[in-house]
Amino acid sequence: MIRVTAFRWVPPFARGLVRDLRVRWALEEAGLPYETRLIGFEDRGTPEHRARQPFGQVPVYEEQAGNEPPSVLFESGAIVLHIAECSGTLLPRDPAARTRAIQWMFAALNSMEPHVQTFALIVGFWKDEEWAKLRRPFAQQMAEKRLDELAARLGEREWLENEFTAGDLLMVSVLRILRETDLVDLRPALAAYVARAEARPAFQRALADQLAPFAENPPPAAS
Amino acid sequence: MIRVTAFRWVPPFARGLVRDLRVRWALEEAGLPYETRLIGFEDRGTPEHRARQPFGQVPVYEEQAGNEPPSVLFESGAIVLHIAECSGTLLPRDPAARTRAIQWMFAALNSMEPHVQTFALIVGFWKDEEWAKLRRPFAQQMAEKRLDELAARLGEREWLENEFTAGDLLMVSVLRILRETDLVDLRPALAAYVARAEARPAFQRALADQLAPFAENPPPAAS
């Protein structure tokens, strides 16, 4: 039994970006069924949630066999890697190619995402703040530099390695953070790369399943 | 044969923090000898370096057997994981404990480092910029939140899991970015955790080997 913790409601700007999507997508690619534990923002600080996720984030991944206590894992990158290793999908069998796929997982989360996230927050969430207006040009320059470097490496290839891997899954998840900007669209190779990944049935199922509860649940009462 | 690419000179604020240290440290823990390929800042954009490292960063890790072409890997997190997997050190043998150690690797690089790095740059490199002065309180609050959450999970333990793992290696590497601030020192459990890791002979050798070329080489000519 696999259980993924996700939010029962998030505001529109976060829908389709909350990180449980990365785990749902990997599970769909692997053909592994799962159930969800839906929580509210107000649950992020509870002792029960903190015991599973020390930073109060989602997702949490729980795996349980029979009456054993569940094994609990957090950090979406680590969970995607765990799913890939357990299922034999999303990582090439050849050891060198497998290592390179894992390299792209780390590249997505440590070399791309900090710059992408910073820019997306500056033009979105923080756009009316004075510091954000001052910082926007540099943040854009850094994000564009990384995108150009990624596009140069991707070239005409379909995926970063010879097949779709967990590295592509995380890289595309990071690029999607820029959806309210034109930075990806201005680079046709990257736009096509994201579109190819988003067209995968596993992604479509994962996205629909993340979004479904948001339509059914009310926002939390103002606190 | 293992070869690690590093800078031959960096300014004082970066010494002991450049990311080849993470790889050198892992290699020392694993008892694996390596040679270095020292490059200058001016080499970051060369086609030779970009072919090995698409983002123009260091380190690059090359592994070569006999006359085979070298296998090339970038992204320090991925390299540390590769060294751990190949050497049988830095990751527990028990599968669940191994997965948790990898979870801490991703937590260090994706949940901690972006906030730690942002704050360290705001109080260091960018401190005289207007946007940085405006943003400093929030950046400090985010970094402190993550540090408190990490300290709460670490508790009285020596390491994040039952033994020193690649997760501790990366987590301590991230905490060291705050060395010019008092944020770690204000949390005695974290300060002691960093000190325990820095006292390891493997870390001391890795640090000395990163620093040695900086004393021998001149800064690059102004460009």
Side-chain angles (χ1 to χ4, degrees), chain A residues 19 22 49-57 71-79 81-82 85 96 98-100 102-114 118 126 129-132 134-135 138 145-146 149-150 153 170-171, chain B residues 19 22 49-57 71-79 81-82 85 96 98-100 102-114 118 126 129-132 134-135 138 145-146 149-150 153 170-171:
Chain A
R19 288 176 179 196
R22 302 173 184 192
H49 185 58
R50 291 281 161 159
R52 296 185 202 108
Q53 218 302 350
F55 306 114
Q57 301 167 308
S71 76
V72 180
L73 205 58
F74 59 90
E75 209 61 44
S76 54
I79 299 167
L81 181 55
H82 174 71
E85 289 190 326
R98 176 184 175 279
T99 302
R100 286 196 302 272
I102 294 173
Q103 157 194 283
W104 287 115
M105 296 179 71
F106 281 97
L109 300 182
N110 200 234
S111 286
M112 295 292 299
E113 189 164 29
T118 294
W126 303 112
E129 302 227 352
E130 187 59 23
W131 74 268
L134 292 168
R135 191 55 172 168
F138 184 84
K145 178 172 182 292
R146 283 287 183 266
E149 290 162 339
L150 179 68
R153 176 55 72 105
L170 292 181
M171 191 65 81
Chain B
R19 287 175 179 198
R22 303 173 183 191
H49 185 59
R50 291 280 161 160
R52 296 184 202 107
Q53 218 301 352
F55 306 114
Q57 301 169 307
S71 76
V72 180
L73 205 58
F74 59 90
E75 209 60 45
S76 54
I79 299 167
L81 180 55
H82 174 70
E85 290 190 327
R98 176 184 175 279
T99 302
R100 285 195 302 273
I102 294 172
Q103 157 194 283
W104 287 115
M105 297 179 69
F106 281 97
L109 300 182
N110 200 234
S111 287
M112 296 291 300
E113 188 163 31
T118 295
W126 303 112
E129 302 226 353
E130 187 59 22
W131 74 268
L134 292 167
R135 191 56 172 168
F138 184 83
K145 178 172 183 292
R146 283 286 183 267
E149 290 163 338
L150 179 67
R153 176 55 71 102
L170 291 181
M171 191 64 82

Side-chain angles (χ1 to χ4, degrees), chain A residues 120-131:
Chain A
L121 288 172
I122 280 177
V123 300
F125 199 76
W126 303 112
K127 66 176 186 295
D128 296 328
E129 302 227 352
E130 187 59 23
W131 74 268

Side-chain angles (χ1 to χ4, degrees), chain B:
Chain B
M1 194 280 297
I2 294 171
R3 189 188 294 125
V4 176
T5 299
F7 288 126
R8 72 171 64 93
W9 185 90
V10 300
F13 74 84
R15 295 178 186 183
L17 295 181
V18 193
R19 287 175 179 198
D20 58 280
L21 183 62
R22 303 173 183 191
V23 171
R24 293 174 187 264
W25 186 4
L27 287 166
E28 293 287 351
E29 294 282 354
L32 293 171
Y34 64 98
E35 55 183 62
T36 52
R37 181 202 294 274
L38 296 182
I39 66 169
F41 293 160
E42 68 280 8
D43 300 314
R44 284 177 295 183
T46 64
E48 294 74 23
H49 185 59
R50 291 280 161 160
R52 296 184 202 107
Q53 218 301 352
F55 306 114
Q57 301 169 307
V58 302
V60 178
Y61 177 89
E62 295 168 88
E63 216 176 72
Q64 191 162 19
N67 291 323
E68 303 269 318
S71 76
V72 180
L73 205 58
F74 59 90
E75 209 60 45
S76 54
I79 299 167
V80 169
L81 180 55
H82 174 70
I83 293 166
E85 290 190 327
C86 292
S87 68
T89 54
L90 294 171
L91 287 177
R93 279 167 199 270
D94 170 68
R98 176 184 175 279
T99 302
R100 285 195 302 273
I102 294 172
Q103 157 194 283
W104 287 115
M105 297 179 69
F106 281 97
L109 300 182
N110 200 234
S111 287
M112 296 291 300
E113 188 163 31
H115 298 293
V116 160
Q117 182 79 45
T118 295
F119 180 66
L121 288 172
I122 279 178
V123 300
F125 199 75
W126 303 112
K127 66 177 187 296
D128 297 327
E129 302 226 353
E130 187 59 22
W131 74 268
K133 293 174 190 170
L134 292 167
R135 191 56 172 168
R136 180 179 168 144
F138 184 83
Q140 177 161 346
Q141 185 187 322
M142 284 306 300
E144 296 218 50
K145 178 172 183 292
R146 283 286 183 267
L147 293 175
D148 287 337
E149 290 163 338
L150 179 67
R153 176 55 71 102
L154 182 65
E156 301 294 315
R157 275 194 293 277
E158 191 174 8
W159 308 115
L160 289 164
E161 295 298 323
N162 286 334
E163 57 188 281
F164 179 82
T165 73
D168 297 301
L169 188 155
L170 291 181
M171 191 64 82
V172 167
S173 297
V174 167
L175 295 177
R176 293 184 69 255
I177 296 172
L178 293 167
R179 65 187 181 181
E180 300 294 327
T181 78
D182 57 4
L183 263 53
V184 170
D185 291 338
L186 287 171
R187 294 162 175 84
L190 294 185
Y193 172 60
V194 172
R196 269 194 299 279
E198 289 183 336
R200 294 174 75 86
F203 174 82
Q204 290 296 324
R205 286 193 298 271
L207 180 63
D209 287 343
Q210 177 181 83
L211 298 179
F214 305 154
E216 293 162 13
N217 291 299
S223 56

